[in-house]
């Protein structure tokens, strides 16, 4: 696996490393290197060497650095000059760049390949609001990246239960992992809330269209085999009850990613991110009767949770309360 050194002036690198872990999960072979006010070039170079020495593969190293021409960049450049052309540097450090590098190294074996893949994402992450301030050529390019329709049905690349719906972990980690062309929030409640609909549409990552539809409409879309060929759909649900209604109506979901269910009065919380009441437990059991499998992960890098065991613990806690 390609090792990654995130380097910056001050604590920026440490903070963005933490942010990346919140969205994509904790990562191996990644280190933050900081240049503090009391330190000089030799200090940051020594830190970089120490970070690289901890990597499993020291032949392939990617530096993600804040500024071109700054001290961290200069010291990384001097280290690269000592190598045989296998290390790479990308500057202009931002969170999208970090997340994309984590995803890219799952399928890319070299620092060069990862650097090439993340460059476009890092640039696309720089946006402006209000949109009319954005250069016309950039806006046009973004608008043209989504796939056009063709005869056929949706390909469902992910169906996820997440109380927060479209947020950072979905817009970055899951989108990079599944490569959808459309993100569809399926909710009667949200479909009637114009403000939430607008916020969700604005939160969509570059090149992906976001929609909010009521459950009945999603059932109709799922049965349309004429207009969505080539479209890769990522479906987001707030709760398992909405998923069950969609499945009962004919939306062909084989696996549900269970990512987040927030706590509220009357619910028990058998793990850190999932809370259940009796209705939730009964609903998951009905979904299982429909042949639906459960993928319990907050982000793609997490280990799979055992839904049967989680439901057993939740049921036991609810029984104790009675």
């Amino acid at each position: 696996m390609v090792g990654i050194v995130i380097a910056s002036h001050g604590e920026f690198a440490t903070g963005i490393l933490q942010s990346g872990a919140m969205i994509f999960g904790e990562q191996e072979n990644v280190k933050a290197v900081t240049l503090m006010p009391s330190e000089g070039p030799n200090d940051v170079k020594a830190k970089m060497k120490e970070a690289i020495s901890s990597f499993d593969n020291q032949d392939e190293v990617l530096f993600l650095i804040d500024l071109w021409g700054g001290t961290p960049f200069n010291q990384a450049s001097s280290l690269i000059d000592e190598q045989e052309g296998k290390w790479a540097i990308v500057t202009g450090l931002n969170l999208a760049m970090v997340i994309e590098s984590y995803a890219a190294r799952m399928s890319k074996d070299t620092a060069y390949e990862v650097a090439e893949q993340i460059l476009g994402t890092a640039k696309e992450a720089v946006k402006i609001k209000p949109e009319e301030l954005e250069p016309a050529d950039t806006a046009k390019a973004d608008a043209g990246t989504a796939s056009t329709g063709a005869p056929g049905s949706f390909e469902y690349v992910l169906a996820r239960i997440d109380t927060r719906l479209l947020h950072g972990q979905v817009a970055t980690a899951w989108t990079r992992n599944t490569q959808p062309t459309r993100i569809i929030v399926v909710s009667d409640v949200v479909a009637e809330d114009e403000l939430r609909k607008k916020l969700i549409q604005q939160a969509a990552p570059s090149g992906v269209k976001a929609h909010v539809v009521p459950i009945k409409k999603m059932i109709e879309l799922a049965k349309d085999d004429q207009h969505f060929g080539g479209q890769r759909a990522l479906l987001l649900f707030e709760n398992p009850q909405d998923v069950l209604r969609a499945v009962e109506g004919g939306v062909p979901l084989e696996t549900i990613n269970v990512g987040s269910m927030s706590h509220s009065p009357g619910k028990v919380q058998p793990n850190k991110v999932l809370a259940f009441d009796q209705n939730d437990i009964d609903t998951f059991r009905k979904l299982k009767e429909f042949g639906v499998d459960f993928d319990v992960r907050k982000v793609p890098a997490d280990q799979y949770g055992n839904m049967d065991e989680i439901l057993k613990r939740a049921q036991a806690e609810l029984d104790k309360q009675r």
Side-chain angles (χ1 to χ4, degrees):
M1 178 177 285
V2 174
I4 298 174
V5 175
I6 304 174
S8 70
H9 296 77
E11 296 285 0
F12 179 35
T14 303
I16 205 167
L17 177 65
Q18 182 185 50
S19 298
M22 289 178 61
I23 294 174
F24 209 86
E26 296 290 339
Q27 297 290 306
E28 296 180 350
N29 298 301
V30 180
K31 295 291 183 181
V33 170
T34 60
L35 172 64
M36 303 309 292
S38 61
E39 296 176 330
N42 291 334
D43 297 305
V44 74
K45 187 172 185 177
K47 289 181 181 180
M48 288 177 172
K49 287 182 176 180
E50 181 181 359
I52 294 167
S53 69
S54 70
F55 294 160
D56 295 336
N57 179 8
Q58 298 172 26
D59 290 332
E60 298 292 344
V61 177
L62 175 65
F63 295 87
L64 304 181
I65 296 178
D66 55 357
L67 290 174
W68 182 280
T71 297
F73 169 81
N74 292 336
Q75 296 310 306
S77 294
S78 69
L79 290 174
I80 285 181
D81 290 342
E82 300 170 6
Q83 300 302 310
E84 298 178 356
K86 292 187 175 181
W87 294 2
I89 299 174
V90 179
T91 62
L93 178 62
N94 62 36
L95 184 55
M97 175 195 298
V98 172
I99 297 301
E100 182 69 9
S101 69
Y102 293 168
R105 66 182 186 154
M106 292 180 178
S107 59
K108 306 295 184 182
D109 296 326
T110 71
Y112 281 13
E113 291 175 322
V114 176
E116 288 176 343
Q117 180 164 325
I118 70 175
L119 195 58
T121 298
K123 292 179 178 179
E124 290 172 2
V126 181
K127 294 182 176 293
I128 191 169
K129 186 176 181 179
E131 289 82 357
E132 54 264 27
L133 299 179
E134 190 171 355
D137 55 345
T138 303
K140 183 182 293 185
D142 285 344
T145 55
S147 300
T148 57
S153 304
F154 282 121
E155 176 185 355
Y156 299 96
V157 296
L158 183 73
R160 175 179 172 90
I161 296 173
D162 192 326
T163 306
R164 296 178 293 170
L165 295 173
L166 181 52
H167 57 94
Q169 291 170 348
V170 175
T172 55
W174 283 109
T175 299
R176 298 302 176 192
N177 182 264
T178 59
Q179 297 293 305
T181 58
R182 296 173 186 256
I183 295 174
I184 306 176
V185 171
V186 186
S187 169
D188 291 348
V189 174
V190 182
E192 295 179 356
D193 189 328
E194 291 301 322
L195 177 59
R196 291 184 71 185
K197 285 172 62 176
K198 184 176 181 180
L199 291 174
I200 285 169
Q201 291 166 349
Q202 291 177 344
S206 179
V208 182
K209 290 185 177 181
H211 311 269
V212 179
V213 300
I215 299 168
K216 183 179 179 180
K217 182 63 176 179
M218 187 64 235
I219 293 170
E220 294 175 1
L221 295 174
K223 295 177 180 179
D224 186 336
D225 60 1
Q226 296 298 316
H227 300 99
F228 301 111
Q231 295 292 333
R232 297 167 55 84
L234 188 161
L235 306 188
L236 296 175
F237 298 87
E238 284 188 291
N239 55 64
Q241 290 76 25
D242 286 353
V243 177
L244 180 60
R245 286 179 57 196
V247 171
E248 288 176 333
V251 180
L253 303 179
E254 298 179 357
T255 301
I256 301 296
N257 169 240
V258 187
S260 172
M261 293 173 57
S262 64
H263 189 272
S264 61
K267 292 197 174 189
V268 297
Q269 194 164 353
N271 72 6
K272 293 181 179 179
V273 296
L274 301 179
F276 303 83
D277 59 19
Q278 191 62 57
N279 187 22
D280 295 327
I281 294 174
D282 293 342
T283 301
F284 277 112
R285 289 171 176 166
K286 289 178 182 177
L287 284 167
K288 189 172 182 178
E289 292 175 0
F290 272 93
V292 176
D293 294 324
F294 304 115
D295 167 13
V296 185
R297 287 182 296 166
K298 187 168 66 172
V299 294
D302 284 349
Q303 293 183 340
Y304 291 86
N306 187 317
M307 193 61 173
D308 289 336
E309 291 299 321
I310 292 171
L311 292 176
K312 285 180 181 178
R313 292 200 301 271
Q315 187 67 70
E317 292 182 34
L318 284 172
D319 291 342
K320 286 180 182 180
Q321 294 179 357
R322 292 171 179 162

